[in-house]
Amino acid sequence: MTSDSSVPGDSADPFRNEPTPRDEAPQFVLPLVVRIERDAPPARTDALETAARAVLTILSDDRAVGDGEWAQVMRDWQDARIRKVVRRARGAEWRRAEALPGITVTGKSAEVRVFPPVPLDGWPKDLARLQVSGTDLDDPEPPADADPTAPVLWLNPDLDMSAGKTMAQTGHGAQLAWWELSDEERTAWRQAGFPLSVRTADPARWAELTSSGLPLVKDAGFTEIAPGSATVVTEHPALRRRG
């Protein structure tokens, strides 16, 4: 599933039709691949949380910052539109994906591999052939209440998105929070293993969250939902305290 989000410091509406400097820059996409075996699919909430942690993991990886081998392409990606695409793999497809440079992040039942950004028209063949459909997942039982002392990525209760689409959105939400944290706050989150929860907000609470000043993801509307739809609010304790 393709998803595009607004970026820090970009005061222009990212969903308007006229081009901006970000549109004129070379466009890249961050690929994520979720492992979905026929006989053992991951739980939906665990897949969403693992995808968010995967994005945080590559953002903070030594290869993605400074003079690291992925640093330039990470900068190029973040200088343009922030796009993420989630595809699924199983069996030999997953093994081929694991052989490519990237990072696999494991949850309770989910495995998500994140790769350094690639040009929109320059996907490695072993990723390009993977399907974006078929990412519908379920939770075998309702998730427990979120830990209020850890970050929570709240989903819009009025939107019906596939798991793949939602994984891209939670990745956006985690990334927006990462950008707003101080270096010390980022280090503490990373050293703790990026604890976080993904939960659907209560309808009454959603209105409060979207006006709270916390990081808010709005989708470009390429797939599934209307342009400008608010999808995720990230309630990180450090950012909540600032409010």
Side-chain angles (χ1 to χ4, degrees):
M1 293 300 168
T2 302
S3 193
D4 179 0
S5 177
S6 57
V7 293
D10 189 355
S11 59
D13 181 353
F15 310 108
R16 65 179 187 272
N17 292 327
E18 63 268 24
T20 71
R22 290 191 180 277
D23 295 304
E24 296 167 3
Q27 299 294 303
F28 292 82
V29 61
L30 186 79
L32 297 106
V33 175
V34 55
R35 184 178 185 181
I36 303 180
E37 300 290 348
R38 286 190 178 89
D39 59 346
R44 180 185 175 95
T45 296
D46 189 39
L48 303 181
E49 294 171 348
T50 304
R53 286 197 298 271
V55 171
L56 293 166
T57 299
I58 196 168
L59 286 170
S60 62
D61 192 275
D62 289 343
R63 291 166 289 182
V65 297
D67 296 325
E69 62 184 289
W70 300 340
Q72 185 59 57
V73 73
M74 290 290 287
R75 287 191 290 267
D76 291 343
W77 168 59
Q78 293 178 86
D79 284 343
R81 295 286 182 175
I82 304 301
R83 301 172 187 258
K84 298 178 180 72
V85 171
V86 177
R87 296 175 183 257
R88 62 176 172 85
R90 62 170 63 97
E93 296 173 332
W94 175 256
R95 292 190 291 273
R96 286 193 292 268
E98 278 203 305
L100 298 174
I103 306 169
T104 297
V105 177
T106 302
K108 296 175 182 177
S109 62
E111 291 180 76
V112 176
R113 189 163 179 84
V114 60
F115 303 85
V118 299
L120 286 178
D121 58 355
W123 282 68
K125 64 178 183 180
D126 284 333
L127 298 183
R129 64 178 53 155
L130 298 177
Q131 297 294 313
V132 296
S133 60
T135 58
D136 294 327
L137 299 170
D138 297 310
D139 283 314
E141 56 187 38
D145 291 342
D147 180 355
T149 67
V152 183
L153 282 69
W154 294 105
L155 302 176
N156 185 337
D158 298 322
L159 294 179
D160 183 16
M161 298 183 289
S162 68
K165 178 73 173 180
T166 314
M167 288 170 68
Q169 299 301 308
T170 60
H172 287 335
Q175 186 168 2
L176 291 179
W178 181 255
W179 277 332
E180 292 195 23
L181 295 173
S182 68
D183 289 342
E184 292 77 12
E185 290 162 345
R186 290 179 179 181
T187 297
W189 200 10
R190 180 183 184 184
Q191 289 180 345
F194 295 123
L196 57 85
S197 300
V198 175
R199 298 291 187 272
T200 299
D202 180 87
R205 179 93 195 286
W206 179 248
E208 174 189 340
L209 287 166
T210 56
S211 61
S212 65
L214 292 167
L216 171 65
V217 179
K218 291 185 176 181
D219 190 61
F222 292 138
T223 58
E224 297 193 24
I225 58 177
S229 298
T231 58
V232 179
V233 173
T234 304
E235 189 178 21
H236 191 290
L239 301 179
R240 185 171 60 232
R241 287 193 295 269
R242 293 177 194 173

